[in-house]
Amino acid sequence: MAKQKKWLDKDNVNLMVAVCAVLISAASFYATYIQSVAAERQVKAETWPYLQIRSGNYDLEAQERNLYLKIENAGVGPAHLKSFQLYYKDTAVGSINRVLPLCCFAEGETARDENGDLRPEFNNIITGNPAPSIVAAGDEILVYSMIRDEVNADLWEKLNIGRQQLRAEGCYCSLLDECFQTDFQSEPIPIDFCPVEKPAN
């Protein structure tokens, strides 16, 4: 009768050691992968920008009636604002100066007098150039500001009503080149890159 081969012989032990080594390597690789993914997510979270619009008609800090629209970075990382477009209703405008004729002028009225000089009621309008720019976390960029006074009161009131028809669109990226398209009302949409668009004048 043939002698039965022992199950725990040298070949089987070597096979078991090899299988255990493979399993340990796979587990180690998986743990490293999970750790890498977690680290990547943490870095993204620490550099995540979130741009939003702030608009109002009163400056609490200065205690004055001021129409303003600002872009604020409420995220934790800097935002590279690559494009910004302001709209009055469905018309693309480059600045608040293009909004005023659409919302606040009588027919045939312009911002200039008969001599071609800027009318006094327009002296308190301050405009900014939002894009392209870097917005640090917690910082803001001015789009426009108009402080109310006796001279511009009528124009100010008209713009205060007209600003309700303003909307904006923009595109910005994080330090890691993660880009987002936004209408500043709903959640930003991740995109591969910000398209280069020529803003309206």
Side-chain angles (χ1 to χ4, degrees):
M1 185 176 179
K3 187 177 180 182
Q4 188 176 3
K5 187 177 180 181
K6 292 182 179 180
W7 184 79
L8 284 176
D9 61 8
K10 182 178 179 182
D11 292 337
N12 286 337
V13 170
N14 289 339
L15 178 60
M16 290 176 61
V17 171
V19 170
C20 289
V22 170
L23 292 176
I24 292 172
S25 297
S28 176
F29 173 79
Y30 182 72
T32 303
Y33 170 75
I34 293 297
Q35 187 177 8
S36 174
V37 170
E40 182 181 0
R41 288 178 178 173
Q42 183 176 356
V43 170
K44 288 181 179 180
E46 291 174 350
T47 59
W48 180 67
Y50 189 88
L51 295 187
Q52 58 187 22
I53 289 286
R54 283 204 308 116
S55 177
N57 59 12
Y58 191 81
D59 189 334
L60 288 172
E61 190 173 321
Q63 296 289 303
E64 58 189 2
R65 298 184 70 182
N66 180 18
L67 294 176
Y68 65 86
L69 190 147
K70 300 175 181 179
I71 303 170
E72 179 184 51
N73 185 357
V76 294
H80 183 187
L81 181 58
K82 295 195 172 185
S83 67
F84 178 82
Q85 182 62 66
L86 191 65
Y87 294 87
Y88 178 74
K89 296 182 178 179
D90 292 326
T91 302
V93 293
S95 70
I96 198 64
N97 293 324
R98 289 285 306 279
V99 174
L100 293 173
L102 300 175
C103 76
C104 311
F105 285 6
E107 187 175 352
E109 185 181 9
T110 69
R112 305 264 173 192
D113 61 21
E114 61 274 9
N115 298 319
D117 297 324
L118 190 68
R119 286 158 46 194
E121 57 262 45
F122 294 89
N123 289 334
N124 271 355
I125 299 177
I126 301 171
T127 60
N129 185 24
S133 58
I134 302 294
V135 191
D139 277 1
E140 58 188 24
I141 294 179
L142 179 70
V143 179
Y144 75 83
S145 171
M146 183 179 182
I147 299 173
R148 189 183 190 278
D149 58 25
E150 294 181 358
V151 177
N152 69 12
D154 183 58
L155 181 65
W156 192 96
E157 295 294 346
K158 289 179 180 178
L159 180 58
N160 189 33
I161 297 172
R163 71 187 180 90
Q164 303 299 328
Q165 302 296 327
L166 289 174
R167 64 180 182 87
E169 294 177 356
C171 189
Y172 62 94
C173 301
S174 71
L175 289 177
L176 300 179
D177 283 332
E178 289 186 297
C179 298
F180 305 89
Q181 199 162 21
T182 180
D183 61 4
F184 299 99
Q185 295 177 358
S186 51
E187 283 296 310
I189 300 172
I191 58 175
D192 292 335
F193 61 91
C194 288
V196 178
E197 298 178 357
K198 186 177 180 181
N201 294 325

